[in-house]
Amino acid sequence: MNQLKHQVIEILIEHVRITMNSMKEMHLFYKLWTEARDKKEINEKKEKINNLEEQADELKARIIKKFAEAESQGLSTLLDLVLKTDGILNYINEFTDRILYIDKKLSKNINERINSIIKKSIDMGEALTWAVKSLLGPREKAFDTSKKLHLLEHEIDSQYRDFENYLYDSTDLDVITILKVKGAVQKIEEMADLIENIADLIRIIAYS
């Protein structure tokens, strides 16, 4: 394997590990928010997510520097993979930011549905971790692990559509709150779409 490609994948594996931790922190953040914990505790969890994004940005900068120094040719798809993977953290931050704008208590059923979507996104993050690691092994393994990402994306998409319909039928929330909740959870669905696109890039890189 091209030495630069190998080095970038190893750094990317660490980047994905940070992304995975950020997903888990997002879930803990939401649990704290639904339990109406002290705002200081919620803000500390939000700050931890921000710090993880900064760590990921540092790794992204290292990868871009390696590309620049090597004046690499033919590795544009790998760089695209790096940039798209970094975009996952943007969706995590957008979700948590939007949740903080919701000032109404949500029902148990709504919270359970949101938690279920978040948990499925964490499953997707774990699958992404294995898919990126598999780039250092046989190409068939990378293809198989990326396939799981497509299946999980379809599950999240189905969960989100059901959630959206349930939310619109809710009678205990005003329209503004419904739109705020939808806007927040939609970021998780969009994040899943992005990870599915990343799965396609992993297949391309594995066979290139």
Side-chain angles (χ1 to χ4, degrees):
M1 181 185 290
N2 178 284
Q3 185 180 3
L4 173 63
K5 183 176 179 180
H6 192 283
Q7 290 175 347
V8 168
I9 291 172
E10 287 185 334
I11 299 173
L12 181 58
I13 289 171
E14 177 63 15
H15 184 287
V16 172
R17 184 191 66 78
I18 292 173
T19 301
M20 186 68 227
N21 287 341
S22 188
M23 286 182 176
K24 291 178 179 177
E25 292 297 332
M26 173 180 67
H27 189 213
L28 293 173
F29 165 90
Y30 187 72
K31 287 180 69 177
L32 288 174
W33 184 82
T34 57
E35 293 166 2
R37 293 287 189 90
D38 184 85
K39 283 189 175 181
K40 181 182 177 182
E41 194 173 3
I42 296 171
N43 290 334
E44 285 175 352
K45 187 62 63 177
K46 172 63 177 166
E47 185 62 27
K48 188 170 184 179
I49 292 172
N50 291 340
N51 289 337
L52 286 168
E53 184 178 23
E54 289 176 6
Q55 291 175 37
D57 283 342
E58 289 176 6
L59 289 174
K60 180 182 68 174
R62 281 176 56 194
I63 292 173
I64 292 173
K65 187 171 183 286
K66 279 189 173 293
F67 274 101
E69 288 175 349
E71 296 182 353
S72 56
Q73 299 295 323
L75 291 177
S76 59
T77 305
L78 183 56
L79 182 57
D80 194 23
L81 173 62
V82 171
L83 297 176
K84 277 187 166 56
T85 303
D86 193 66
I88 295 171
L89 291 121
N90 293 334
Y91 283 113
I92 292 171
N93 265 307
E94 287 187 36
F95 170 79
T96 52
D97 284 342
R98 287 169 184 259
I99 287 296
L100 291 174
Y101 285 122
I102 300 170
D103 51 10
K104 299 288 180 66
K105 185 175 177 60
L106 304 181
S107 70
K108 181 181 177 181
N109 284 337
I110 289 177
N111 283 328
E112 286 178 348
R113 287 169 183 266
I114 294 174
N115 267 312
S116 180
I117 294 172
I118 294 174
K119 287 178 181 177
K120 189 63 67 174
S121 75
I122 291 174
D123 290 342
M124 209 170 183
E126 290 175 345
L128 175 63
T129 301
W130 285 108
V132 173
K133 285 181 178 179
S134 70
L135 286 171
L136 295 176
R139 62 178 63 179
E140 293 79 11
K141 188 176 181 181
F143 185 88
D144 290 340
T145 52
S146 63
K147 183 179 179 181
K148 185 177 181 181
L149 290 168
H150 288 280
L151 297 174
L152 287 168
E153 191 280 332
H154 292 316
E155 291 179 28
I156 289 178
D157 190 58
S158 177
Q159 281 186 318
Y160 176 73
R161 298 306 164 205
D162 288 343
F163 167 78
E164 195 176 43
N165 290 331
Y166 182 86
L167 190 63
Y168 287 151
D169 289 338
S170 178
T171 58
D172 58 343
L173 291 177
D174 58 88
V175 174
I176 297 299
T177 302
I178 287 174
L179 291 176
K180 285 181 178 180
V181 175
K182 176 184 179 296
V185 181
Q186 189 173 13
K187 293 304 171 182
I188 305 297
E189 193 263 347
E190 290 172 357
M191 181 177 72
D193 288 341
L194 174 60
I195 297 175
E196 184 181 35
N197 291 335
I198 291 171
D200 291 332
L201 286 175
I202 288 172
R203 291 183 178 185
I204 292 170
I205 292 166
Y207 282 86
S208 62

